[in-house]
């Protein structure tokens, strides 16, 4: 079983490089070995490696920058997945790809299901949606795992930013009217390994079906609630000096950024849990485990 893993330096890719190890020969490639902004080169790389499975966490993830780099965002998030899926279709291999809650506009007053109407409100979301659609159009065996609010002990993310700011500032202002479920990159990777193992069995036995699945932690909070939990856990751990004493809730309108964000990022994981026999942990439980790994 040869598994080609892209973006192995990213939050999810780093964890996947470990979580997928028991499933086969993992060929983990970074940008210099497989550049997703070079579709022809990417195609040649896949053809040379001839994998049984392609797992693609690599993406253009700079949400605000995407507003001014639309072409590059679409090249990496839509054209590259199309190439991966075309090659998967040719070789009868399986593609696992990641997408985002940002395919939705966030106006729904409940968690989004996989069947809800998509309507991205920023370029990043549009490019990720185009990637989903490009994969679906190829007819390749695929799973598209939509996740949200990803953090990890490594990389650039909200957890790391809050830990840094809490050490520097007494007072923080954090957006409180966007809600979602913070999701640990390791949880995504380990869930992917379960999903992949079952999918390989299903393909052997002839019962596999492609589709989109939401993959996030259970429960919900706001960025403000997430920040409070991070600082509280850090305080309990007592391993780093914390200046922070107050975290003020602010509305999205008080924190202007180039890309519009959906107010509701919640995704229902019922479909994933039912098909793959899983029960997603709550976001705060996973956060504790992640932060325990950082001390
Ligand atoms: P990261 O930003 O941590 O990692 C992105 C990875 O993609 C890096 O390894 C990066 O390489 C690689 N990459 C970027 N451009 C290229 C390129 N041109 N060629 C090859 N590799 C490239 O992302 P995450 O791990 O957080 O995200 C994983 C998936 O989850 C993505 O599909 C993302 O869209 C999705 N997602 C992420 C969310 C989040 O909050 N982060 C929320 C919802 C969905 P390099 O290190 O060289 O830059």
């Amino acid at each position: 079983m040869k598994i080609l893993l892209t973006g192995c330096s990213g939050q999810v890719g780093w964890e996947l490089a470990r979580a997928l190890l028991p499933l086969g020969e993992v060929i983990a490639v970074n940008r210099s070995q497989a550049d997703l902004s070079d579709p022809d080169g990417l195609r040649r790389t896949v053809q040379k490696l001839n994998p049984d499975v392609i797992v693609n966490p690599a993406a253009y993830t700079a949400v605000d920058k995407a507003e001014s780099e639309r072409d590059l965002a679409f090249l990496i998030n839509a054209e590259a997945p199309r190439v991966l899926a075309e090659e998967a279709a040719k070789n009868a291999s399986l593609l696992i790809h990641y997408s985002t809650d940002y395919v939705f506009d966030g106006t729904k007053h409940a968690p989004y299901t996989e069947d809800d109407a998509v309507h991205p409100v920023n370029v990043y979301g549009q490019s990720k949606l185009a990637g989903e659609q490009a994969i679906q159009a190829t007819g390749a065996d695929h799973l598209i795992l939509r996740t949200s609010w990803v953090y990890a002990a490594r990389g650039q993310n909200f957890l790391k930013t809050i830990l840094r700011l809490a050490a520097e500032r007494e007072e923080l202002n954090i957006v409180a009217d966007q809600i979602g479920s913070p999701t640990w990159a390791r949880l995504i990777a380990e869930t992917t390994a379960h999903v992949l193992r079952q999918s390989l069995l299903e393909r052997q036995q002839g019962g596999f079906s492609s589709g989109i699945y939401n993959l996030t932690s259970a429960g919900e909070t706001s960025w403000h609630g997430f920040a409070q939990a991070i600082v509280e856990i850090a305080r309990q751990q007592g391993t780093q000096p914390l200046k922070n004493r107050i975290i003020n809730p602010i509305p999205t309108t008080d924190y202007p950024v180039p890309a519009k964000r959906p107010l509701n990022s919640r995704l229902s994981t019922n479909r994933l849990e039912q098909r793959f026999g899983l029960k997603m942990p709550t976001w705060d439980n996973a956060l504790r485990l992640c932060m325990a790994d950082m001390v």
Side-chain angles (χ1 to χ4, degrees):
M1 177 66 51
K2 206 192 266 187
I3 304 170
L4 171 60
L5 170 66
T6 66
C8 62
S9 58
Q11 299 188 85
V12 176
W14 176 264
E15 296 289 350
L16 279 166
R18 283 138 191 83
L20 297 179
L21 274 180
L23 295 180
E25 179 196 354
V26 179
I27 304 166
V29 293
N30 59 25
R31 186 193 291 256
S32 67
Q33 295 152 313
D35 184 350
L36 271 68
S37 67
D38 171 14
D40 294 338
L42 180 65
R43 194 183 294 280
R44 283 194 299 275
T45 302
V46 178
Q47 287 172 348
K48 194 174 76 194
L49 294 172
N50 194 25
D52 304 293
V53 177
I54 302 171
V55 182
N56 182 42
Y60 182 105
T61 55
V63 176
D64 288 314
K65 220 167 150 197
E67 296 297 307
S68 52
E69 288 190 342
R70 187 185 176 87
D71 290 351
L72 185 58
F74 270 77
L75 195 56
I76 295 171
N77 290 347
E79 191 54 30
R82 178 201 313 280
V83 167
L84 295 176
E86 282 171 356
E87 291 307 311
K90 261 193 243 161
N91 297 330
S93 48
L94 170 66
L95 173 63
I96 298 191
H97 178 74
Y98 298 87
S99 190
T100 170
D101 59 285
Y102 282 14
V103 297
F104 298 115
D105 61 18
T107 55
K108 187 178 176 185
H109 294 291
Y112 281 95
T113 71
E114 291 81 352
D115 296 330
D116 280 320
V118 288
H119 182 219
V121 293
N122 57 40
V123 169
Y124 167 75
Q126 289 160 8
S127 70
K128 294 294 291 185
L129 176 60
E132 290 185 357
Q133 292 167 341
I135 290 169
Q136 288 168 325
T138 63
D141 275 4
H142 68 268
L143 293 171
I144 295 170
L145 305 174
R146 283 185 184 148
T147 190
S148 73
W149 293 22
V150 179
Y151 67 89
R154 294 169 54 91
Q156 281 187 356
N157 55 63
F158 188 81
L159 165 61
K160 302 276 294 290
T161 302
I162 292 298
L163 286 174
R164 178 173 52 77
L165 293 177
E168 292 168 5
R169 299 189 200 166
E170 279 199 9
E171 199 166 333
L172 297 175
N173 296 331
I174 307 290
V175 169
D177 57 359
Q178 292 172 31
I179 50 170
S181 193
T183 303
W184 186 16
R186 186 174 299 171
L187 177 69
I188 298 172
E190 290 178 348
T191 304
T192 301
H194 283 288
V195 161
L196 174 55
R197 181 164 153 64
Q198 180 169 323
S199 299
L200 292 172
L201 289 173
E202 287 171 359
R203 289 180 94 226
Q204 263 175 18
Q205 294 158 5
F208 176 80
S209 56
S210 296
I212 296 181
Y213 290 86
N214 295 336
L215 191 181
T216 64
S217 285
E220 64 186 61
T221 188
S222 64
W223 291 112
H224 176 260
F226 188 16
Q228 280 183 315
I230 292 166
V231 174
E232 191 189 314
I233 295 169
R235 191 159 281 127
Q236 287 165 4
Q237 289 177 329
T239 48
Q240 75 168 72
L242 292 172
K243 260 198 192 158
N244 178 254
R245 283 199 283 182
I246 305 168
I247 306 181
N248 299 310
I250 59 163
T252 299
T253 45
D254 283 3
Y255 188 72
V257 282
K260 197 173 171 203
R261 261 70 171 177
L263 292 181
N264 174 21
S265 283
R266 293 172 295 162
L267 300 176
S268 163
T269 55
N270 288 345
R271 183 181 283 182
L272 178 92
E273 292 181 334
Q274 275 164 24
R275 171 164 172 189
F276 296 101
L278 299 169
K279 183 79 192 140
M280 301 313 284
T282 58
W283 67 270
D284 46 335
N285 186 10
L287 176 63
R288 259 177 212 288
L289 290 171
C290 175
M291 289 181 68
D293 237 20
M294 295 168 79
V295 294

